[in-house]
Amino acid sequence: YFDAPEMLERIGATHDLAAELLRQPDRFTPEVVVIRGGEGNDYLTDYFSSVKAGEQYQLMQLETSGVPFDMHYLDDVLANPKLQEYKVFVFLNVRHITTEQRAAINEKLKLDKKTLVWLYDTGYLSESGASPGAMSDLTGITTITEPVRARQTQLIPTRGHPLSINVPSFGGMSELHMMIMAMEGQSPHSARHQPFWPEDPTATPLAIYAEDGRTAAVIKQIPIDERKSWTSVYIAAPNALDGALLNSIAVAGKAFTSGKAGPAVHMSGKFVSFHALRAGRYLLRLPPDTKRVVDLQTGKRLGQNVSELNLKIETQQTYWYRLW
């Protein structure tokens, strides 16, 4: 059953390549970080919550955003000054944040020119229990909630904020999950979420809910002093950060992007894995100071001292590039 020499040969070659890459120093660091809360899902009342189930689709959106990112736990980010140097911080459903952590976020992350993106119920819970007021204080955006179950389909207006340009109109991976489970009514496999929505006249809307027209996502510049400010982006629908929207947020925050949203790109300073979801041409931006690029499938050198590659790609094909 396992006697497949051609497969084992490729597995062995991949293993050898990985071992060689691990020995090569890597000077590239993404400028965007996705922050997890660790025990966050312990506070969901339903084991089959659409919020938890939709996270796998949300991560797919981030992987196809054209934005290289790291992923760290909140405690690690707050304890390590090097992990506070990112330009964009995405809080992925970090629903329980302690008073001590909130103070550290205020001190270490809400700095000039930084962008903090809050997803769904981030900061709703603390040692004192559930509080939309404490959540609003954390994000700088007044937020309302109701202790019920609700359907909330996020829509991006066709004529909205500049960040919304080229972002698909439908957003919400938890709603996508519910549609997979049941087109109508309540799914026997998953429960809907508690609704949240921003209600802040000082924030600029990015999206609305299809069901009631309420605001679903906003952006707000929050001043530090007369000359300095940080950017707060709140997306209230669960798992509704579209990859194209993250790309726009990263560009606005002066963070490095590998190109437009679309393909699944995983990048370091020495290796790129590129999986095409559509055929055509794609302009892949390479990490700074890249000296040489080789296609690992063909052995062909693609460039010397180049900053980007103009690729011709085929649907559902994966490409590997070695960088020096």
Side-chain angles (χ1 to χ4, degrees):
Y1 184 81
F2 295 100
D3 186 15
E6 67 284 357
M7 293 174 62
L8 294 176
E9 182 180 355
R10 301 232 3 220
I11 292 171
T14 303
H15 174 273
D16 293 343
L17 172 64
E20 183 180 348
L21 287 171
L22 287 172
R23 291 191 295 268
Q24 180 182 335
D26 188 354
R27 293 185 296 272
F28 173 70
T29 300
E31 295 178 325
V32 175
V33 62
V34 175
I35 298 177
R36 308 301 299 269
E39 81 295 346
N41 286 336
D42 295 346
Y43 297 93
L44 294 175
T45 57
D46 193 321
Y47 182 79
F48 294 105
S49 166
S50 62
V51 178
K52 180 170 65 175
E55 279 192 2
Q56 60 178 319
Y57 303 116
Q58 176 64 85
L59 290 172
M60 291 178 188
Q61 286 286 315
L62 302 184
E63 290 180 346
T64 56
S65 66
V67 180
F69 63 89
D70 288 334
M71 187 176 291
H72 292 289
Y73 287 118
L74 177 59
D75 281 338
D76 295 331
V77 171
L78 297 179
N80 187 343
K82 289 295 293 181
L83 300 183
Q84 297 159 21
E85 295 177 358
Y86 296 98
K87 295 180 179 179
V88 178
F89 300 83
V90 179
F91 289 78
L92 182 59
N93 307 331
V94 189
R95 54 190 55 87
H96 183 266
I97 301 180
T98 67
T99 301
E100 182 180 0
Q101 289 172 328
R102 291 166 195 261
I105 291 171
N106 291 340
E107 176 188 354
K108 300 177 180 181
L109 303 187
K110 295 179 180 178
L111 304 177
D112 188 34
K113 298 182 175 61
K114 300 288 188 181
T115 300
L116 279 64
V117 183
W118 321 90
L119 301 190
Y120 184 51
D121 58 355
T122 291
Y124 181 52
L125 304 178
S126 69
E127 308 97 317
S128 302
S131 171
M135 179 181 179
S136 301
D137 290 341
L138 176 68
T139 65
I141 295 167
T142 304
T143 299
I144 308 297
T145 186
E146 292 180 351
V148 297
R149 304 281 185 180
R151 176 174 185 153
Q152 290 185 302
T153 306
Q154 176 180 285
L155 296 177
I156 304 291
T158 54
R159 294 184 179 180
H161 192 275
L163 286 182
S164 303
I165 296 174
N166 297 323
V167 176
S169 61
F170 169 78
M173 295 300 102
S174 288
E175 276 304 320
L176 174 65
H177 170 76
M178 294 301 295
M179 291 178 182
I180 292 173
M181 294 300 175
M183 290 299 293
E184 295 181 359
Q186 175 60 48
S187 166
H189 306 291
S190 193
R192 291 197 181 278
H193 63 281
Q194 178 176 332
F196 288 81
W197 64 95
E199 201 167 270
D200 190 330
T202 65
T204 303
L206 292 174
I208 61 173
Y209 288 121
E211 287 77 13
D212 53 22
R214 284 173 168 164
T215 302
V218 295
I219 183 171
K220 182 178 180 178
Q221 291 296 126
I222 300 182
I224 299 172
D225 57 30
E226 292 82 0
R227 294 189 298 175
K228 298 179 180 180
S229 66
W230 61 279
T231 302
S232 183
V233 179
Y234 174 53
I235 299 174
N239 301 309
L241 177 54
D242 185 87
L245 181 56
L246 176 60
N247 194 290
S248 295
I249 292 170
V251 171
K254 309 299 183 183
F256 176 83
T257 61
S258 59
K260 294 182 179 180
V265 180
H266 296 83
M267 172 181 288
S268 72
K270 51 192 177 181
F271 178 76
V272 177
S273 175
F274 182 106
H275 182 72
L277 299 177
R278 293 183 179 179
R281 309 291 309 193
Y282 187 85
L283 196 64
L284 177 67
R285 190 174 298 111
L286 299 171
D289 302 321
T290 299
K291 303 300 182 185
R292 184 156 52 100
V293 184
V294 170
D295 185 323
L296 286 172
Q297 293 172 315
T298 65
K300 181 181 178 181
R301 180 180 295 188
L302 300 181
Q304 188 83 19
N305 296 321
V306 293
S307 60
E308 57 190 23
L309 296 176
N310 190 340
L311 304 174
K312 182 179 180 181
I313 55 177
E314 299 294 334
T315 307
Q316 296 299 330
Q317 294 299 309
T318 300
Y319 304 87
W320 283 3
Y321 305 110
R322 178 81 180 272
L323 311 179
W324 283 267

